[in-house]
Structures are given as C-alpha cells and as structure tokens.
Amino acid sequence: MSSESTIAVTAIWTDDQNTIKGDLLGSSNTVAMAVGMLGNHISKHMTKVYGLDPPLNPLAMRAKYFPDVQPSDMLNVCRPGGLTAIFSPNFETNRRIKTQLAQKAQANQISVETNTALATNTATTSQSSTQAAPSRRSRKSKKRNAASAANPVSTANPASTSNLSQVTMDDQLKAMLASMQSEIAEMRGKNERILNDNEKILNENGSMRNEIETIRNENESMRNEIETIRNENDRILNENESINNDLASVRNDLNAAKVKHSQDVEALKEVTMLLIPLHLRVLLDLARKKVLEHLGHETWEDLRASRSVYQLADTICNDLKRKGVSYPPSSESIFFLCSYNNIRRAGNTAAHSAKEDDIRHAVLTQSLESRDRRCLESLFTYAYNGVPV
C-alpha cells in the first residue's frame, strides 16, 4: 500500500509569489520526471501572469530542487517532506518579462493621462455652463421687466410663469452639475486605482530587479566556486600525474633491482656451487695435515712411501690408536682419506674450472707490490696467451 502513496510536490517561481502545489505517485515517477512536470505547469502559469506570447518555454528556466537527491531516484525518497522545486528564468526570459511589464506600465500611464485630461475638460465645461446660465436669466429678466412696464395691467400672471421656468432651469443645472461631479469623482477614483496599480507594478519590478540582482550575484558566486573547484581539480590531476610518474620510476627501479638481484643470486649460486667442492677438499687436506702432525711426518708422500692404500690406512689407524689421540676417526674414514675419492676428484675439478674473470679477480686481490702478485700476473698472461690482468 505504501508503494502507491502520493508525494507532495511544490513549484515556486523565483519571486516567491507564484506557487503551484500538487501530488504525484512516489513509486511511478522519478525525481527528474517530477521536476519536469512542475516545470511545465509553472511555465504555463507564469505565461498567464505576465501575458507572454509566445508562451514561456519550460526549457528556458533554471531549476533547483530539495531535498538533495539523485535525479534518477524514485520520488519516494522525498518522503515525508515532499519535493520542492524553485524555478528562475534565464537571461532571454528575463528580457521578455521586463519588456512585457514595461509595455503594461506605459499603457497604464497613457490611460491615467487620458482620464486626467477628460476630467479636466469636463470640469471646465461645467464651470462655463454655470457662468452662462445667469447671463441668459438676466437678459430674460430685462425683457420681462420691459414687458411689465408697457402693459402694467398683466404684471401678476407673467411674473409667476417666469419664476416657475427659472426654478426648473436651476434644478436641471444642479442635477447636471451633480452628475458631472459624480463622474469626475468616479474618474478620479479610477485614476487613483490605476496609479496604485502602477505603483504596485513598479514596486514589483523593483523587487524583481533586486531578486534578479541577487540571482546574478549567486550565479557569479557559483561561477567563482566552480572555477575554484576546477583549479583544485587541475592541481589534483597534476599531483596525480606527478605521483604516477614517480610510481613508474619506482617500478622501473624496482624491476631493475629485481633483475640485478636475480643476477646476483645466480652468480652467488654459481660461486657457492664452485666453493662447496673446494671446501670439502679443504676438509680432506686438514684431516691429512692432522694425521701428519700426530704421526710426525712432513708430507703425505713421506708417510705413504711404498705402501698401498690399504696398508697406509692400517698403519694410520694403528698409530693413532697407539698414541691415544682425541676423537680418532673410524677405519672406514681413514681409508676414505687415503684413497682418491669423489670428493677430492670434485675439488680438483672445481679448482681447475674457474672462469677467466674469476681468476683475474683472485689475482687482483693480492698485494700490489708483492712477489706473489708479480708471479701470478706473469702466469695469467702466459696461461691466457698474452691477455693482461
């Protein structure tokens, strides 16, 4: 049932003196449709008020509506206060209204001047008629007096007849004068009403001018605000563009760093894989050195002499037990140490598979003025066919 309820809608002209109210179905009309209907009705109403021809175009008006909702919203969102739309004319419609009011004011002024002139002429005519009447009565009295002197016998009856005619004429003149004065008073009243109407129209025009000036000021303020918003938007766009450029630069740097990191990781992996066999061979060499220290020999070749690998392993194992060394290795470990195993083979391979740049870097780590540095540089040039370090 609530979906079929009506919403109060109100259209207000910019002068606040012309208002149209009605009701529309809230579920069948959007806010934009309601504003359009109100615009059509207020344009027809103001066309009649101002007497505009051709009629006022609804598109020739600006509209503001309350509450602040979206045009596509259904009219139900305006419940419970309803929808109020304020319409104001554009520049061309303002010009038409001013022209129409000026024409009406001019027509009213001409009517006032015409009525005033007519009243003046009527009053002048009445005064002339009043002044002429005693002259005619005076001449008639003289004739009657002359007739009485010539015929004294009949003086009584003619005098009565003359007085009766004079009384009748005076009554007619008085009635005519009263009628003229009434017409003049009526004309003055009409003129007064016309003057009051003109004054009211002038006041309304002044009020409309003030309202138009207020609207112009509001429009100017709105233009300034729009310009400020545009400038702010431009500033934000510039900042966003700068931020995007910075982000792009950071992304490029990050990508370059990722590539460099990947290269470093790969290089480190290569170095690590190269160093593992070397480190394991170093472990074997340290173990052989420990055996030489415990058994009192200078070199591994002296210790081995003419023994086989098995004989050498048994000799080392028995001598270490006899001397009671700490943490002695197992027999298997001693045999592993004495034989040419995979660990030693991989270490030898790694030691002989270094790249030219790696060897150059190793030579450059030696002291610049040392004998080793000079010898290593000479051997590097010899080994790589004359390529300098």
Side-chain angles (χ1 to χ4, degrees):
M1 179 176 181
S2 58
S3 61
E4 296 299 326
S5 61
T6 58
I7 305 298
V9 293
T10 304
I12 301 176
W13 188 247
T14 185
D15 57 4
D16 296 332
Q17 298 178 1
N18 293 277
T19 302
I20 294 178
K21 296 184 177 181
D23 296 296
L24 291 174
L25 288 176
S27 60
S28 302
N29 298 281
T30 63
V31 174
M33 293 169 61
V35 173
M37 294 178 187
L38 291 175
N40 289 332
H41 286 289
I42 197 69
S43 63
K44 293 178 181 179
H45 176 71
M46 298 314 299
T47 297
K48 293 180 181 180
V49 171
Y50 292 117
L52 298 176
D53 187 20
L56 179 60
N57 186 357
L59 300 178
M61 300 183 299
R62 294 184 295 270
K64 294 181 180 179
Y65 61 85
F66 305 95
D68 186 12
V69 295
Q70 295 297 321
S72 58
D73 291 340
M74 298 306 295
L75 195 56
N76 281 330
V77 300
C78 298
R79 186 180 289 112
L83 176 69
T84 300
I86 301 176
F87 295 89
S88 58
N90 62 10
F91 177 80
E92 178 61 23
T93 304
N94 268 331
R95 185 191 64 77
R96 288 183 59 196
I97 292 173
K98 286 182 179 179
T99 302
Q100 186 69 10
L101 292 175
Q103 291 176 355
K104 284 186 177 181
Q106 184 177 3
N108 291 336
Q109 185 65 28
I110 293 173
S111 176
V112 170
E113 293 176 354
T114 302
N115 292 335
T116 303
L118 179 60
T120 303
N121 293 336
T122 303
T124 304
T125 303
S126 300
Q127 291 177 0
S128 299
S129 300
T130 305
Q131 291 174 357
S135 298
R136 289 194 296 271
R137 287 196 300 270
S138 177
R139 285 195 294 272
K140 289 179 180 180
S141 297
K142 289 180 179 180
K143 290 180 180 179
R144 285 196 297 271
N145 291 334
S148 298
N151 190 9
V153 179
S154 58
T155 54
N157 292 333
S160 299
T161 303
S162 176
N163 290 333
L164 182 59
S165 299
Q166 183 68 33
V167 170
T168 302
M169 185 176 294
D170 289 342
D171 291 339
Q172 291 176 352
L173 290 174
K174 289 179 180 179
M176 185 182 297
L177 181 60
S179 177
M180 289 180 178
Q181 290 176 347
S182 177
E183 291 178 359
I184 291 171
E186 184 178 355
M187 289 181 181
R188 286 176 178 172
K190 290 181 179 180
N191 290 339
E192 186 67 24
R193 287 193 298 273
I194 292 173
L195 290 175
N196 292 334
D197 291 341
N198 288 341
E199 184 68 21
K200 182 179 179 181
I201 291 173
L202 291 175
N203 292 334
E204 291 177 354
N205 288 342
S207 175
M208 186 174 293
R209 290 190 188 96
N210 293 334
E211 292 176 358
I212 291 173
E213 185 65 25
T214 300
I215 292 174
R216 286 176 179 170
N217 293 334
E218 291 178 353
N219 290 340
E220 185 64 24
S221 176
M222 196 173 293
R223 290 190 190 97
N224 293 334
E225 291 179 0
I226 292 173
E227 185 65 24
T228 301
I229 293 173
R230 285 176 178 169
N231 294 334
E232 184 67 15
N233 287 340
D234 291 339
R235 184 185 66 80
I236 293 173
L237 288 175
N238 292 333
E239 290 182 356
N240 287 341
E241 184 175 359
S242 177
I243 292 172
N244 289 333
N245 293 335
D246 293 341
L247 288 177
S249 177
V250 171
R251 290 191 186 99
N252 293 333
D253 294 343
L254 181 60
N255 291 333
K258 287 181 178 178
V259 172
K260 182 65 170 56
H261 178 69
S262 299
Q263 294 174 349
D264 293 342
V265 169
E266 291 299 325
L268 181 61
K269 287 180 179 178
E270 292 180 1
V271 172
T272 302
M273 295 303 295
L274 182 64
L275 291 178
I276 289 174
L278 292 176
H279 291 164
L280 295 177
R281 177 175 173 177
V282 168
L283 177 60
L284 295 179
D285 291 342
L286 288 175
R288 283 190 174 188
K289 183 179 178 182
K290 194 83 170 182
V291 169
L292 292 175
E293 290 177 356
H294 285 154
L295 301 184
H297 291 275
E298 293 293 333
T299 64
W300 189 258
E301 287 75 13
D302 292 339
L303 175 62
R304 180 174 181 178
S306 59
R307 297 184 181 93
S308 66
V309 174
Y310 296 99
Q311 293 172 347
L312 178 63
D314 290 339
T315 299
I316 294 173
C317 184
N318 294 329
D319 289 346
L320 291 178
K321 289 181 178 180
R322 181 172 51 82
K323 289 183 176 291
V325 298
S326 301
Y327 312 109
S330 64
S331 299
E332 182 183 8
S333 300
I334 293 174
F335 180 80
F336 181 79
L337 180 64
C338 294
S339 63
Y340 186 73
N341 51 56
N342 291 332
I343 298 299
R344 183 170 296 278
R345 186 180 297 107
N348 293 336
T349 302
H352 295 87
S353 62
K355 296 180 181 179
E356 179 181 341
D357 290 340
D358 296 334
I359 296 175
R360 178 183 288 108
H361 178 72
V363 171
L364 293 176
T365 59
Q366 301 300 310
S367 177
L368 186 61
E369 301 298 332
S370 66
R371 175 176 173 275
D372 292 346
R373 173 70 174 265
R374 290 195 304 273
C375 294
L376 290 171
E377 286 182 353
S378 177
L379 292 174
F380 182 90
T381 302
Y382 170 74
Y384 289 99
N385 300 320
V387 177
V389 178

